[in-house]
Amino acid sequence: MDRAAGAVLGMLFLLSARPWSTAAAGSPYSCDAPLASTLPRASFSSSSELSSSHGPGFASLNRRDGAGGWSPRVSDKYQWLQIDLGERMEVTAVATQGGYGSSDWVTSYVLMFSDGGRNWKLYRREESISGFPGNTNADSVVHYRLEPPFEARFLRFLPVAWNPKGRIGMRIEVYGCAYRSEVVNFDGKSSLIYTLNQKSASPTKDVISLKFKTRQTDGILLHREGQNGKHVTLELVKGRLILSLNSGHANLPSPDARVTLTLGSLLDDQHWHSVLLELLNAHVNFTVDRHTQHFQAKGGSRYLDLDDEISFGGIPGHRKSVVFPHKNFHGCFENLYYNGVDIIDLSKKRKPQTLVVGNVSYSCSHLQIVPVTFLSSSSYLALPGASGEDKVSVAFQFRTWNRAGLLLTSQLKHGSGALVLVLNDGKLKLSLSQPGHPSRDITAGAGLSDGQWHSVSLSLKGSHLSVMVDGEAASVAHSLRGRIDSGDTYYLGGCPDSVSGSGCGGPLGGFQGCLRLISVGDKAVDPITVQQGALGSFRDLQIDTCGLTDRCLPSYCEHGGECSQSWDTFSCDCAHTGYLGATCHSPLYEQSCEAHKHRGDSSGLYYIDSDGSGPLEPALVYCNMTDTTGTSVQHNGSHLARVKSSDGESPHPVAFKYTASMDQLQAIIDRADHCQQELAFYCKKSRLSARHDGTPVSWWVGRTNETHTYWGGSLPDAQKCACGLQGNCLDSQYYCNCDADRNE
């Protein structure tokens, strides 16, 4: 076959796909008004103040009254300056100064933001958690534009480093503009249905945009169906968003009938996350928090010809064609738009296009759970025990990427023993050591270093020791000796340098990750009181935020390498990828059969990687080491396939699937001097052309989706077999031997 006509035979009687196009994005608008300078002094607060004249109310940019700025009582890394903007605003830039005419300025700081003054989120600068550059003197102003901007009511500036010859001193400004917000709250049992106006519906593109926040790991965000099982569903699963697409062609031999795209991670953090879904005929753009996946369906699949009803927050009960075991969404949506239509506004006004199923409200409550981040292996949180109690009872939730770390240790009173709870190889191990007796150990849970929240509760009373992980209990009974008295102090995540003994100073490092919902002796612990110095003590913690970062999003592992991570690094498992190196970049296989021949290899099956470190995977081929090296790629048509007569029936399609993909085949072809493909058609009273006028009744479709009617070494557009061109067919009045219609 001629290469231009199609060196790869794809499928007989295949329909061609339609092209697609994208729309231009809108231009940005100005949003740079100063927001802090117009606020009253009461809008500023801080962790502490050096004196009344160094209070946070004097922290506006260029302010000279009082002491000319804010300074905390002690200059350490646990201080902060906070601003309440009064309402949620879009914040686009910040600026800082030092204390007026002083030696007090901050050289580096981090920025955090919040909707309700709790559950803070760290602003990550260009995917980095490093601090913002601060000041080099007291009075010059350092501006920093935020890319991307964010929406928040509360901001916190946390000094990281300051002038070593002075102390922390700050004056600040925040820039931005008003932010329009329409919200709807789903209670986990409700949904919102929108019925499209078909007259105004876009025939070429569907665009759905929204923001959401939740503390639940699972829930359906949107669902839309069509005929024959076609549907588009967006669902939260274990804190990640999964877009499920079914083109409704499940009966065709197409791998694209059902597709899932996965984006995002740790999305159950009760912070706002943005979603943009664009459906353009067969093309899909899926964006979550600035990370985008593109998908192009093949075989004529379309995602626009769906029903005129979209459900948000869940799937209505009358929709039975798709069965989802997962629950409805529990949380808030903000600024939900379909093709520019404000769905929440329509619902609030009770417009007939919208229908509420169950109970929804149009406000979004703020989370009051206070998480704690253990930043390093030397972090710890020390809490007082329930003194005098003859039992031990501790509970908390944790999330981490680290497979090991010390979670809890305590010395029991009166020398009655020590209690140690560690995470080791993704499992929990609870150990009780008592003088003169072997250690009692309980192992519970598995795979607990997956970044998900896991609940832990342990109790020790009488002769019973138990630990419960995610609702499943493991226990040891009748194995304790003597009276057990609660210790004076419980150390979570690590130990102070001054403490030694069981669990402290051991080979296992401290815990790095997040804890929340801590209780000791059946009494809940408020981390804010710890932050204020009224309860316990701590080191190297961030209180009221979970600073866990997914270092595998986006994944830098190439060629399908599996990304795994810890608190501060990631690694790639390159097994079974055909590539080596830290990110699975270096090819393991040769690029061609010629390279194998130069190595002295004999004929046989080999994996070759035609594009080297490029995106294509290695392909299995047969290398024929003759004078001229040949590369053969097999397909599933090596055995005869019987094709019955199509008299009065629909054509009989036969598809040929190669061991290499179309892109891999193209790369192999591009490196070849000559390319050919063979297809044998054995006919018995089976014509390729019509009896009277020679019109083709059979054809084949190549890799370019073009229909071809030449056979057996003939030329494109000839509509003849090779014997027809050479004039040596069995029956000279026909151009193909099959057209002789012989019973042999």
Side-chain angles (χ1 to χ4, degrees):
M1 289 182 186
D2 184 272
R3 182 190 298 181
V8 179
L9 185 61
M11 178 177 178
L12 299 179
F13 319 117
L14 185 68
L15 296 176
S16 62
R18 297 185 179 183
W20 61 276
S21 62
T22 57
S27 58
Y29 60 95
S30 177
C31 181
D32 294 306
L35 303 177
S37 58
T38 59
L39 295 173
R41 290 178 57 176
S43 297
F44 294 77
S45 58
S46 64
S47 53
S48 66
E49 57 188 54
L50 181 62
S51 69
S52 58
S53 59
H54 290 84
F58 299 106
S60 294
L61 202 69
N62 296 319
R63 193 158 185 170
R64 299 185 179 186
D65 54 340
W70 164 73
S71 288
R73 182 173 61 252
V74 178
S75 291
D76 62 27
K77 59 184 177 181
Y78 301 117
Q79 306 300 323
W80 45 262
L81 172 65
Q82 179 175 313
I83 308 173
D84 178 1
L85 298 176
E87 59 182 316
R88 198 147 165 253
M89 308 288 282
E90 181 172 355
V91 180
T92 59
V94 293
T96 60
Q97 276 177 312
Y100 172 66
S102 71
S103 57
D104 306 334
W105 60 83
V106 171
T107 58
S108 177
Y109 64 94
V110 296
L111 185 64
M112 305 186 81
F113 58 94
S114 167
D115 277 358
R118 288 288 177 89
N119 189 37
W120 295 85
K121 186 172 185 178
L122 180 67
Y123 181 85
R124 285 187 166 83
R125 186 167 58 94
E126 298 176 352
E127 298 300 328
S128 170
I129 61 173
S130 61
F132 287 84
N135 299 88
T136 57
N137 56 50
D139 293 309
S140 62
V141 179
V142 176
H143 289 83
Y144 195 90
R145 178 160 294 279
L146 302 174
E147 295 292 348
F150 60 83
E151 297 80 37
R153 173 177 171 177
F154 295 89
L155 279 76
R156 267 188 185 177
F157 294 78
L158 288 80
V160 174
W162 46 91
N163 179 20
K165 296 181 179 181
R167 60 174 63 246
I168 293 174
M170 291 193 84
R171 289 175 288 172
I172 56 94
E173 181 58 275
V174 177
Y175 301 90
C177 59
Y179 177 70
R180 181 182 179 274
S181 174
E182 295 277 4
V183 297
V184 61
N185 181 69
F186 298 96
D187 63 359
K189 301 177 182 178
S190 53
S191 60
L192 172 61
I193 301 174
Y194 171 63
T195 302
L196 281 61
N197 181 353
Q198 290 298 318
K199 294 182 180 180
S200 61
S202 170
T204 59
K205 181 172 69 172
D206 273 357
V207 178
I208 300 173
S209 63
L210 61 95
K211 288 188 175 184
F212 75 92
K213 72 173 179 178
T214 180
R215 56 171 294 197
Q216 304 298 320
T217 57
D218 304 276
I220 292 172
L221 271 70
L222 68 89
H223 176 76
R224 187 179 179 189
E225 290 188 17
Q227 301 298 316
N228 302 318
K230 177 179 289 191
H231 68 85
V232 174
T233 304
L234 183 62
E235 185 178 12
L236 190 67
V237 178
K238 291 187 176 180
R240 302 173 68 90
L241 276 181
I242 296 180
L243 178 64
S244 174
L245 306 166
N246 192 323
S247 61
H249 297 301
N251 295 326
L252 289 180
S254 169
D256 300 317
R258 297 180 181 179
V259 177
T260 57
L261 304 177
T262 303
L263 269 180
S265 178
L266 311 175
L267 300 178
D268 57 337
D269 59 358
Q270 195 64 14
H271 290 287
W272 290 108
H273 298 280
S274 60
V275 178
L276 176 63
L277 179 60
E278 298 173 290
L279 306 176
L280 305 95
N281 287 330
H283 193 85
V284 178
N285 297 326
F286 178 36
T287 302
V288 177
D289 293 340
R290 296 180 295 127
H291 298 292
T292 302
Q293 281 197 21
H294 307 279
F295 174 72
Q296 174 73 59
K298 300 177 182 178
S301 298
R302 282 171 49 88
Y303 298 113
L304 289 180
D305 48 349
L306 296 165
D307 294 349
D308 59 357
E309 186 178 285
I310 308 176
S311 60
F312 299 97
I315 300 179
H318 66 278
R319 291 291 195 181
K320 298 298 184 182
S321 60
V322 180
V323 179
F324 286 90
H326 300 294
K327 52 190 177 183
N328 284 18
F329 179 78
H330 190 175
C332 300
F333 280 12
E334 180 185 58
N335 294 346
L336 171 61
Y337 285 89
Y338 171 80
N339 284 352
V341 177
D342 188 339
I343 307 299
I344 298 177
D345 184 59
L346 291 179
S347 177
K348 288 173 67 175
K349 295 177 179 177
R350 302 181 183 273
K351 295 294 185 179
Q353 304 99 303
T354 61
L355 173 65
V356 171
V357 179
N359 295 319
V360 303
S361 60
Y362 299 99
S363 63
C364 192
S365 60
H366 300 300
L367 183 69
Q368 296 303 316
I369 295 176
V370 181
V372 177
T373 305
F374 291 73
L375 296 170
S376 71
S377 57
S378 62
S379 301
Y380 73 86
L381 171 61
L383 296 173
S387 181
E389 291 192 358
D390 61 347
K391 68 175 183 177
V392 173
S393 176
V394 180
F396 55 85
Q397 292 183 353
F398 74 93
R399 76 188 312 172
T400 184
W401 299 116
N402 287 12
R403 296 179 61 82
L406 173 64
L407 281 168
L408 172 73
T409 183
S410 179
Q411 294 286 337
L412 304 179
K413 292 191 70 173
H414 309 303
S416 57
L419 195 67
V420 180
L421 179 67
V422 299
L423 179 68
N424 194 10
D425 195 28
K427 303 175 183 178
L428 282 187
K429 181 181 178 182
L430 176 63
S431 299
L432 174 66
S433 59
Q434 291 181 286
H437 300 284
S439 174
R440 282 91 173 165
D441 298 333
I442 300 177
T443 300
L448 303 179
S449 56
D450 58 357
Q452 302 294 311
W453 283 109
H454 297 284
S455 61
V456 181
S457 63
L458 61 93
S459 65
L460 191 160
K461 182 174 176 61
S463 61
H464 194 82
L465 173 66
S466 70
V467 59
M468 182 174 290
V469 180
D470 294 335
E472 297 186 4
S475 64
V476 174
H478 306 294
S479 61
L480 308 183
R481 303 291 189 272
R483 174 184 170 89
I484 298 297
D485 289 320
S486 174
D488 291 328
T489 306
Y490 290 94
Y491 296 104
L492 286 87
C495 303
D497 297 334
S498 59
V499 175
S500 61
S502 182
C504 293
L508 205 61
F511 172 78
Q512 287 178 285
C514 302
L515 263 62
R516 69 181 185 186
L517 298 176
I518 304 169
S519 65
V520 175
D522 301 325
K523 184 178 180 180
V525 174
D526 182 6
I528 298 299
T529 62
V530 177
Q531 185 181 47
Q532 294 169 344
L535 179 70
S537 61
F538 64 92
R539 180 177 65 191
D540 213 11
L541 298 186
Q542 278 185 342
I543 295 177
D544 209 6
T545 181
C546 179
L548 198 66
T549 302
D550 191 341
R551 299 184 183 278
C552 290
L553 182 73
S555 175
Y556 295 100
C557 303
E558 301 178 47
H559 303 107
E562 185 175 345
C563 181
S564 60
Q565 61 187 302
S566 64
W567 175 262
D568 52 10
T569 188
F570 74 93
S571 60
C572 299
D573 182 358
C574 305
H576 312 298
T577 66
Y579 296 85
L580 301 171
T583 59
C584 311
H585 177 74
S586 303
L588 179 63
Y589 301 107
E590 300 290 351
Q591 285 192 256
S592 65
C593 286
E594 287 85 353
H596 279 284
K597 183 178 181 181
H598 288 310
R599 289 177 46 177
D601 295 331
S602 58
S603 297
L605 290 171
Y606 295 94
Y607 279 98
I608 64 171
D609 193 346
S610 298
D611 67 340
S613 296
L616 299 180
E617 296 179 359
L620 183 63
V621 302
Y622 181 81
C623 293
N624 187 9
M625 309 302 190
T626 58
D627 292 338
T628 302
T629 306
T631 304
S632 298
V633 184
Q634 299 298 312
H635 58 64
N636 64 347
S638 301
H639 302 287
L640 291 177
R642 184 174 297 276
V643 181
K644 295 181 180 180
S645 170
S646 60
D647 293 342
E649 302 174 5
S650 60
H652 184 95
V654 179
F656 296 89
K657 182 174 178 59
Y658 282 81
T659 56
S661 68
M662 285 292 185
D663 290 334
Q664 290 171 323
L665 289 168
Q666 183 64 60
I668 295 172
I669 292 169
D670 290 342
R671 296 180 62 89
D673 293 328
H674 171 72
C675 179
Q676 68 180 37
Q677 181 181 33
E678 296 180 2
L679 169 68
F681 180 67
Y682 297 89
C683 50
K684 179 180 179 181
K685 298 186 71 65
S686 301
R687 302 174 58 84
L688 295 174
S689 305
R691 181 186 301 274
H692 302 293
D693 57 4
T695 302
V697 294
S698 295
W699 62 91
W700 58 270
V701 177
R703 59 185 170 86
T704 58
N705 282 335
E706 294 179 355
T707 299
H708 303 286
T709 56
Y710 66 97
W711 303 90
S714 182
L715 298 176
D717 303 321
Q719 294 191 2
K720 298 179 181 180
C721 296
C723 68
L725 289 178
Q726 299 165 5
N728 57 3
C729 293
L730 294 175
D731 190 328
S732 60
Q733 63 178 321
Y734 298 108
Y735 294 128
C736 286
N737 285 327
C738 291
D739 291 344
D741 219 11
R742 298 194 178 190
N743 190 22
E744 60 177 302

Coordinates of all heavy atoms in Angstrom, one line a residue, residues 162 181 428 732:
W162 N 13.3 38.3 60.3 CA 13.2 39.8 60.5 C 14.7 40.3 60.8 O 15.6 39.5 60.9 CB 12.3 40.1 61.7 CG 12.6 39.2 62.9 CD1 13.4 39.4 64.0 CD2 12.0 38.0 63.2 NE1 13.4 38.4 64.9 CE2 12.5 37.5 64.4 CE3 11.0 37.2 62.5 CZ2 12.1 36.3 65.0 CZ3 10.6 36.0 63.1 CH2 11.2 35.5 64.3
S181 N -20.8 36.9 45.2 CA -20.9 35.5 45.6 C -22.4 35.1 45.8 O -23.1 35.7 46.5 CB -20.1 35.3 46.9 OG -20.3 34.0 47.3
L428 N -0.8 1.3 62.4 CA -0.7 1.7 63.7 C -0.3 0.6 64.6 O -0.7 -0.5 64.5 CB -2.0 2.3 64.2 CG -2.5 3.7 63.8 CD1 -3.7 4.1 64.5 CD2 -1.3 4.7 64.0
S732 N -11.1 -11.8 -17.6 CA -10.6 -10.5 -18.1 C -11.6 -9.4 -18.1 O -11.2 -8.3 -18.2 CB -10.0 -10.7 -19.5 OG -11.1 -11.2 -20.4

